[in-house]
Amino acid sequence: MAVKSLAQSSVRQAPPVNSMLAGYRPNQFHLLETVRLGANTASVTFSNLQRYSDYQHFQIRAVARMTYSDPERSLTIQFNGDTATNYYMHGLYGNGSSVGSYAFSGSSIFLGSFPAANATGSVFTGCVTDILDPFEAKTKVVRSLAGTHWNQPAVSLRSGMWVNTAAITSITLVDATSNLVSGSRFSLYGIKARS
Amino acid sequence: MPVTPTYVLLNQVTLSASTGTITFSNIPQNYADLVLVIAGTGAAQYRLNPNGDSGNASLVYADGYGSSTASGTDTKISLWYAPNSDSIVSITHVFDYATIDKHKPILTRANAASGAVSMYGSRWASTAAITSLVITSSTGTLISGSTATLYGVHA
């Protein structure tokens, strides 16, 4: 069934939608900042986030690949510049032949596997990461969905925890042994609470 | 710092009769990502063809069936797997759809009420901008009352 052209339809306010973040309303979903890399870069940091303290949740939407010589690398997230071993995570993944699960603790939270230098050209992975209650005095919880198919296929769902009750004032996205490739994009969104 | 309200509804289709294909055409090119939300009943498996292209697609999946799991690859961009043709919800993110410098990463999370909980990482191996999305049946048809909704997300 063909539907009418989008060009012929008017943009209207969206109704509530069943989404990754249950309960949010699309008209309360705001783009806060975007970083588009024009050169290979070691890390991306969103800082001074306390100015967004009127938001209940954050979401990061990323399209990225890495420079490392492996077919894949893991993008990780850290908060407030904390590089100590204050992070825990679980992962559920499919690699094209089996489903696996693992647990990990360390100095960051893995968000997903991204193509690296050996991957097919023009291949980037998409990743959606939700950061819940970044300004509340509780341990911070993260969940992330990432994946694409390339010569090392991977799709994963990960949950992580930063064991700190401080408000999140900065977010750093980094791979410790690789650069983020020019053309990668990282967008930070804020989601309002229901009024 | 000014912020931009986004997650903009572009179009919504509520089926008035069973159908095997839904097409969103003339998609505006001024967003970064598209999010496609489908809630429906009746179809076992649907796929997504960017710009109507049924080729140039690859996918890795991870499914949980309640008592077992499976992962594999495919050459189509699946939107859900519901072997019992029951109720489904599928949310698909199409990243950087209007760019012309990269293949398009496509990410889906889908639930079927009595079938599988699934996640799909897909790639449309084309650098062309996506101007239409064709949602078409691999098995079965969506029945009346099913909805397909397309959102645009700025970056």
Side-chain angles (χ1 to χ4, degrees):
Chain A
M1 177 179 127
V3 300
K4 64 182 179 181
S5 161
L6 291 181
Q8 298 169 350
S9 66
S10 60
V11 172
R12 52 196 165 90
Q13 198 65 60
V17 59
N18 185 351
S19 173
M20 283 186 68
L21 271 178
Y24 80 76
R25 298 182 179 192
N27 60 350
Q28 298 175 326
F29 188 100
H30 294 166
L31 171 64
L32 304 179
E33 301 178 32
T34 285
V35 175
R36 289 186 174 87
L37 300 184
N40 297 347
T41 303
S43 64
V44 169
T45 297
F46 296 107
S47 57
N48 298 320
L49 298 181
Q50 57 273 22
R51 63 189 146 162
Y52 301 128
S53 61
D54 54 336
Y55 290 91
Q56 188 68 38
H57 309 299
F58 286 148
Q59 183 174 99
I60 295 172
R61 304 177 65 87
V63 184
R65 65 179 287 155
M66 312 292 188
T67 61
Y68 199 72
S69 58
D70 272 355
E72 65 161 333
R73 294 296 300 172
S74 289
L75 182 67
T76 69
I77 191 168
Q78 296 169 326
F79 300 110
N80 294 8
D82 183 3
T83 57
T85 55
N86 292 320
Y87 301 87
Y88 295 82
M89 64 164 291
H90 285 82
L92 175 68
Y93 65 88
N95 59 14
S97 58
S98 63
V99 174
S101 177
Y102 66 95
F104 174 81
S105 63
S107 58
S108 63
I109 297 168
F110 293 176
L111 299 182
S113 295
F114 287 70
N118 289 348
T120 306
S122 303
V123 178
F124 288 68
T125 280
C127 178
V128 180
T129 300
D130 297 314
I131 302 164
L132 307 181
D133 294 347
F135 300 107
E136 296 195 3
K138 62 177 74 168
T139 296
K140 303 304 182 294
V141 176
V142 173
R143 63 176 176 178
S144 184
L145 178 67
T148 194
H149 181 276
W150 73 99
N151 45 339
Q152 187 148 332
V155 62
S156 64
L157 180 63
R158 309 186 190 215
S159 63
M161 179 172 66
W162 180 43
V163 186
N164 196 312
T165 59
I168 292 175
T169 57
S170 72
I171 297 170
T172 299
L173 303 165
V174 63
D175 172 25
T177 58
S178 181
N179 281 338
L180 303 165
V181 167
S182 174
S184 298
R185 187 255 299 176
F186 305 87
S187 301
L188 176 68
Y189 301 86
I191 302 159
K192 298 276 191 178
R194 285 180 184 270
S195 56
Chain B
M1 174 175 286
V3 299
T4 304
T6 189
Y7 226 110
V8 177
L9 175 63
L10 301 180
N11 210 336
Q12 183 173 52
V13 176
T14 301
L15 299 182
S16 57
S18 297
T19 185
T21 300
I22 299 169
T23 300
F24 291 105
S25 59
N26 296 327
I27 295 172
Q29 299 293 291
N30 58 322
Y31 298 91
D33 301 334
L34 299 172
V35 181
L36 174 65
V37 181
I38 299 176
T41 303
Q45 195 169 26
Y46 263 54
R47 62 189 294 179
L48 180 68
N49 294 335
N51 291 358
D53 181 11
S54 60
N56 297 307
S58 58
L59 166 146
V60 55
Y61 65 85
D63 289 340
Y65 305 112
S67 59
S68 63
T69 61
S71 180
T73 60
D74 206 338
T75 55
K76 59 178 179 289
I77 301 169
S78 293
L79 296 177
W80 67 81
Y81 179 59
N84 298 322
S85 299
D86 51 13
S87 297
I88 61 93
V89 171
S90 172
I91 301 175
T92 296
H93 304 264
V94 184
F95 296 90
D96 276 2
Y97 73 97
T99 63
I100 56 172
D101 65 344
K102 58 174 66 84
H103 294 177
K104 306 304 181 290
I106 298 170
L107 196 54
T108 297
R109 268 278 295 110
N111 297 347
S114 60
V117 56
S118 306
M119 53 183 170
Y120 306 137
S122 305
R123 175 168 61 100
W124 185 49
S126 172
T127 56
I130 293 175
T131 58
S132 69
L133 294 176
V134 178
I135 303 154
T136 188
S137 172
S138 295
T139 309
T141 56
L142 283 171
I143 68 171
S144 175
S146 300
T147 61
T149 309
L150 186 66
Y151 298 89
V153 181
H154 292 102

